[in-house]
Amino acid sequence: MAGVTRHLIDRGDGAAVELFQAEATGAAPAGAILFVHGNQGGLLLGAKEFADDGTLLRFSSRLNITAAAVSQPGFGASDGPADFCGPSTQRAIMAALSFLKQQPSVAPERIVLYGNSRGAVASAMVAAQFPDLKAVVLSSGVYDLEAVFLNSPPGLQRAIETEAGLSKEAFLKRSALHHAQKIRSETLLLHGRHDDRAPVAQAESFSKALSDAGVPVSLSIFECGHRIPREHSQAALRPFLQRIFGAGVTSH
């Protein structure tokens, strides 16, 4: 992982948050992107996934930005327990964003948050609390958790019940649809039309709520399931990042 550094930062309550990053190479501060992982099939790798598969170096070098990834509580070396996208996870993401804003290589007004699956659930909630993000990318997320709980696969239901509980308050703290009016950052939604974990109607409803709140939002729907192939998402993601980070961006 040459060129990638690992950091343990404080969540704000004494708990450790793991972050990996690859810095931009230019002398002047540049933009940054923070990735938030999904469930990872029970492997619990956390942010290390993005370091190991080359994502951080690829984004950093091709976009000339700082690319980072954060481990959610209970994943990687971030202190747990996991709380299924809840307040502890959201605080971990915000701690990582605050860490990035303090880096000399980062222009703090040009940070993009990119969450996938359960990472999108948490990142959408963070966007409602961190209004100065340059943009947000949310892939395969659920934005009204209670509305989809009963029709979720049994394994996902167990995870939600174990980590979060099933109270109205627990669902509300994990459902960005009900907080859309607090979001100010431009948002790109990526979603599979045949997603069996996060129904496409979730993305459609959230897109409308953001638009009604005056947020610039784009929704790209692909002919696939929960996992969106990279070649599909690229068509929407590349021009979005080109505009956010500058004309020099050619690929991800």
Side-chain angles (χ1 to χ4, degrees):
M1 294 188 297
V4 177
T5 57
R6 177 179 175 270
H7 307 266
L8 288 177
I9 61 179
D10 192 322
R11 192 170 68 196
D13 56 4
V17 175
E18 182 183 48
L19 179 141
F20 289 83
Q21 74 169 19
E23 289 189 1
T25 57
I33 189 166
L34 178 67
F35 293 97
V36 186
H37 59 84
N39 189 54
Q40 300 181 318
L43 295 177
L44 306 181
L45 293 173
K48 190 173 185 290
E49 175 186 3
F50 297 95
D52 288 349
D53 70 6
T55 296
L56 298 184
L57 287 175
R58 185 171 67 249
F59 270 79
S60 180
S61 63
R62 294 184 180 179
L63 283 65
N64 193 29
I65 60 171
T66 291
V70 61
S71 297
Q72 298 180 45
F75 290 78
S78 287
D79 287 341
D83 70 340
F84 203 88
C85 316
S88 293
T89 299
Q90 295 162 33
R91 286 196 298 271
I93 296 170
M94 289 188 281
L97 290 169
S98 296
F99 176 84
L100 286 177
K101 290 180 73 171
Q102 296 166 7
Q103 301 309 299
S105 64
V106 174
E109 73 282 359
R110 298 182 64 206
I111 297 177
V112 173
L113 179 59
Y114 189 152
N116 176 61
S117 189
R118 69 187 278 164
V121 177
S123 294
M125 287 298 301
V126 168
Q129 303 166 72
F130 215 93
D132 58 348
L133 291 166
K134 178 67 175 178
V136 182
V137 181
L138 303 171
S139 177
S140 305
V142 165
Y143 310 106
D144 186 347
L145 190 59
E146 184 175 16
V148 302
F149 173 77
L150 290 178
N151 294 317
S152 296
L156 181 56
Q157 287 183 335
R158 285 194 298 272
I160 293 171
E161 184 171 9
T162 300
E163 296 181 26
L166 303 180
S167 69
K168 288 283 186 180
E169 181 183 15
F171 284 122
L172 185 62
K173 289 179 177 178
R174 295 161 175 83
S175 298
L177 181 67
H178 302 293
H179 306 272
Q181 72 280 2
K182 303 173 189 173
I183 297 175
R184 294 291 177 267
S185 305
E186 182 173 356
T187 302
L188 172 64
L189 299 171
L190 308 173
H191 217 94
R193 188 181 305 278
H194 310 293
D195 194 325
D196 61 345
R197 302 183 194 177
V200 68
Q202 287 279 304
E204 293 170 334
S205 296
F206 192 44
S207 177
K208 182 179 185 304
L210 290 173
S211 180
D212 289 346
V215 177
V217 57
S218 299
L219 170 59
S220 293
I221 298 174
F222 308 97
E223 297 300 325
C224 62
H226 186 67
R227 183 180 294 274
I228 302 173
R230 182 180 166 204
E231 60 269 21
H232 287 23
S233 61
Q234 247 186 348
L237 187 60
R238 185 189 294 119
F240 184 80
L241 295 179
Q242 283 177 332
R243 182 168 52 79
I244 294 297
F245 288 124
V249 177
T250 57
S251 179
H252 85 286

